């Protein structure tokens, strides 16, 4: 199946700094990318959906100025956690979907674990 | 709104044991139901799905039946292997196609030992 990579896989940063997470579709063009977050013992929650070349659509309760999403090309989306705080420590997962559409064509990255000290 | 509840793990089984991971859901409309599996260091992969009541999804020896009356989609396997050790996520969507969004459960970690 298609491969989606994330970088870095793990990051530790100081409170107040910004962290960028990259999500790449390696062998297909991803017209839509999704960013999820999972806190310990909680559900994997959708944060935002982005389509290539347009602004991301954020889910209710997700601060768009804090979680900046850029989907500038068909193979790359980035999530920047700005001015990170300890409560932002979480597991972030991206997924990518090709132009043909449905859930069967949605592929997930392995996730990025963020720890903010 | 939509929600998915999974049994809390970890689930630890010996090889060849019978596996059940419970999943129940709340949804508006008629959801499609999914099980995803995440092996260590990899992304979530679609394991099986069912799109309407009484459908049975199956793959790699795993099965799950869409039970509308109990709003459940329990994952079962008759004889687990060490290679089945992974995290399993139950999920649903109430729309399909390019607009579809998934609602996930918490995931259940399965550890299979020799």
């Amino acid at each position: 199946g298609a491969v989606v990579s994330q970088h870095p896989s793990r990051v530790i940063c100081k409170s107040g700094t910004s962290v960028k997470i990259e999500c790449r579709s390696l062998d297909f063009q991803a017209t839509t990318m999704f960013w999820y977050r999972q806190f310990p013992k909680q559900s994997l929650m959708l944060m935002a959906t982005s389509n290539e070349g347009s602004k991301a659509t954020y889910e209710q309760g997700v601060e768009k100025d804090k979680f900046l999403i850029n989907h500038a090309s068909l193979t790359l989306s980035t999530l920047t956690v700005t001015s990170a705080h300890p409560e932002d420590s979480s597991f972030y997962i991206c997924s990518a979907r090709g132009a043909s559409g449905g859930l069967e064509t949605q592929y997930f990255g392995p996730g990025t674990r963020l720890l903010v000290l | 709104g939509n929600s998915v509840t999974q049994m809390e793990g970890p689930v630890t089984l010996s090889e060849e044991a019978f596996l059940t991971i419970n999943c129940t859901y709340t949804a508006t409309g008629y959801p499609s139901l999914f099980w995803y599996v995440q092996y260590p260091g990899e992304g979530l992969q679609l394991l099986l799905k069912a799109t309407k009541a009484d459908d049975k999804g199956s793959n790699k020896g795993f099965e799950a039946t869409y039970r509308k009356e109990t709003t459940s989609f329990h994952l079962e396997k008759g004889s687990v292997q060490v290679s089945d050790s992974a995290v399993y996520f139950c999920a649903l969507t109430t729309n399909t196609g390019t607009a579809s969004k998934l609602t996930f459960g918490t995931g259940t970690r399965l550890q299979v030992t020799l």
Side-chain angles (χ1 to χ4, degrees), chain A residues 8-117:
Chain A
S9 58
R10 190 182 297 264
V11 57
I12 301 173
C13 70
K14 292 182 180 178
S15 186
T17 60
S18 293
V19 175
K20 181 184 286 187
I21 302 169
E22 291 187 349
C23 176
R24 294 181 185 272
S25 57
L26 298 184
D27 53 1
F28 69 103
Q29 293 186 326
T31 51
T32 306
M33 285 189 169
F34 304 84
W35 286 95
Y36 296 85
R37 177 173 59 185
Q38 185 175 28
F39 292 109
K41 299 196 176 183
Q42 295 186 27
S43 301
L44 195 60
M45 298 296 293
L46 180 65
M47 298 174 66
T49 303
S50 72
N51 292 296
E52 185 263 338
S54 55
K55 288 184 179 179
T57 302
Y58 290 81
E59 297 298 302
Q60 195 171 10
V62 178
E63 299 173 60
K64 63 180 181 181
D65 294 329
K66 181 167 185 64
F67 298 99
L68 301 179
I69 292 171
N70 184 296
H71 189 171
S73 79
L74 285 170
T75 59
L76 174 65
S77 176
T78 59
L79 168 68
T80 301
V81 183
T82 61
S83 187
H85 288 94
E87 58 265 29
D88 299 322
S89 298
S90 187
F91 192 53
Y92 293 86
I93 295 177
C94 74
S95 70
R97 183 185 296 173
S100 55
L103 286 167
E104 287 82 356
T105 64
Q106 185 168 339
Y107 301 99
F108 288 79
T112 297
R113 191 162 298 281
L114 169 64
L115 176 61
V116 184
L117 301 176

Side-chain angles (χ1 to χ4, degrees), chain B residues 10-38:
Chain B
V11 174
T12 303
L13 295 173
S14 299
E15 202 170 41
E16 298 183 2
F18 185 86
L19 168 72
T20 301
I21 300 178
N22 290 338
C23 171
T24 57
Y25 66 89
T26 303
T28 53
Y30 300 96
S32 295
L33 303 174
F34 306 85
W35 277 100
Y36 283 81
V37 58
Q38 184 177 27

Side-chain angles (χ1 to χ4, degrees), chain B residues 91-114:
Chain B
L92 68 82
T93 186
T94 50
N95 49 28
T96 57
T98 56
S100 56
K101 295 180 183 178
L102 290 161
T103 299
F104 286 93
T106 56
T108 302
R109 182 175 298 278
L110 170 65
Q111 181 85 33
V112 181
T113 59
L114 291 170

Side-chain angles (χ1 to χ4, degrees), chain B residues 44-105:
Chain B
L44 277 73
Q45 302 170 28
L46 180 60
L47 178 61
L48 54 83
K49 67 173 185 178
T51 58
K52 62 183 189 295
D54 300 326
D55 265 3
K56 178 185 284 188
S58 61
N59 186 22
K60 299 181 181 181
F62 291 89
E63 293 182 339
T65 301
Y66 188 144
R67 301 283 188 203
K68 186 180 175 185
E69 63 276 13
T70 54
T71 61
S72 65
F73 193 55
H74 304 322
L75 182 68
E76 296 182 336
K77 187 174 185 182
S79 176
V80 293
Q81 305 300 311
V82 172
S83 57
D84 294 325
S85 298
V87 181
Y88 293 82
F89 290 87
C90 186
L92 68 82
T93 186
T94 50
N95 49 28
T96 57
T98 56
S100 56
K101 295 180 183 178
L102 290 161
T103 299
F104 286 93

